Amino acid sequence: MKILIVEDEAEIREFVLNQLTIAGFECDCVGFAEEALVALVRQRYDLMLLDRRLPDGDGVTAIGKFRALQPTLRILVVTASDELQSKVAGLDAGADDYLTKPFAPEELLARVRARLREFRGEPLPPIKVGALTYDPATTEVSIAGRPLILHRREFSLLEALVRHVNQVAPRKSVMLEVYGEDDAVSPGALDTLVSRLRRRLEEAQAGASIHLVRGRGYLLTEAAC
Ligand code: CA
C-alpha cells in the first residue's frame, strides 16, 4: 500500500512519515500541491494525506486534479482547525475523510486503515465511450469486447483522456501524463500522437472521437453518428 503525504510543515511530515512507516506503509512526501500532481503522474498511490494549508494554496482546491490523474486514490484531508465548515468544504470537494490537527498516532492509523479497507472492497466500474471500454481496475481497453492493443504512449494518452470523458483534459496535465517531465519533447509531439490515436480509434470502430479545444486541451466523447 503506497501513501503520498502532502504536508509543508517538516515536523508534522516527519511525525506522520514515522508513524506510517512503522505501521508498514510505503510513503513518499511532498510539500506543495504542484509537487503532489507530479508525484501522481509518476507513481500510483492508494491514499493521499492532504494538508489544507499549503504554500501554493488550499489543498482541497486541487482534489479534482488529483482525482483526474488517479480516480481510485483515497484522499484524507488534514485540517488545522476543528471548524465544521472546514470539514464540510473538504468533503464537498471530494475528499473521503478528514483528520483534525493535532491528532494522535492511533487516530491517524485508524483513519488510514479504514479508508484503505473501503478501497479494497469497491472496484471502480469500467468507463464506456461509444464502443470503447476502459477498465480502471485492470487498465485494459477493449472495443465491443475485443482487446485494443496500443503503443505505450498511445495508451497513456487514451488513459488521460478517458478519465476526463466528456470534459476537457487540460493540455498541460495530458503532456505530463504522457511524457513525464521530459523537457526535450517538442510541443507538436502531442498533436502528432493525438492524430495517431484518432486514426487507431477510427480503424477499430471505437465510436469515440477526440476533439481539440483550442487553448485548453482535448476532449474525448462518443462519436456523432
Ligand atoms: Ca501546512
Side-chain angles (χ1 to χ4, degrees), residues 49-113:
L49 270 171
L50 176 64
D51 185 29
R52 282 205 68 164
R53 289 185 193 161
L54 294 169
D56 53 342
D58 183 343
V60 303
T61 59
I63 287 178
K65 288 186 194 165
F66 297 151
R67 285 233 191 274
L69 286 171
Q70 293 196 21
T72 59
L73 182 72
R74 294 282 133 172
I75 300 176
L76 193 52
V77 167
V78 180
T79 143
S81 61
D82 195 20
E83 290 165 28
L84 184 65
Q85 212 183 345
S86 172
K87 292 172 185 170
V88 170
L91 294 173
D92 276 354
D96 295 292
D97 200 1
Y98 57 84
L99 194 60
T100 307
K101 286 179 193 173
F103 44 81
E106 304 81 74
E107 194 188 357
L108 168 72
L109 291 173
R111 294 289 181 99
V112 165
R113 289 194 176 116

Side-chain angles (χ1 to χ4, degrees), residues 134-190:
Y134 170 79
D135 186 341
T138 59
T139 70
E140 272 167 4
V141 181
S142 57
I143 291 178
R146 293 184 311 273
L148 178 68
I149 310 298
L150 294 170
H151 293 296
R152 186 171 58 88
R153 288 222 159 111
E154 293 169 354
F155 178 78
S156 304
L157 172 61
L158 182 63
E159 260 198 317
L161 299 177
V162 87
R163 289 201 212 114
H164 283 83
V165 67
N166 298 325
Q167 302 162 36
V168 178
R171 189 181 170 89
K172 204 174 153 193
S173 68
V174 174
M175 278 296 280
L176 203 58
E177 195 161 352
V178 175
Y179 299 106
E181 286 181 289
D182 187 354
D183 293 332
V185 176
S186 79
L190 182 61

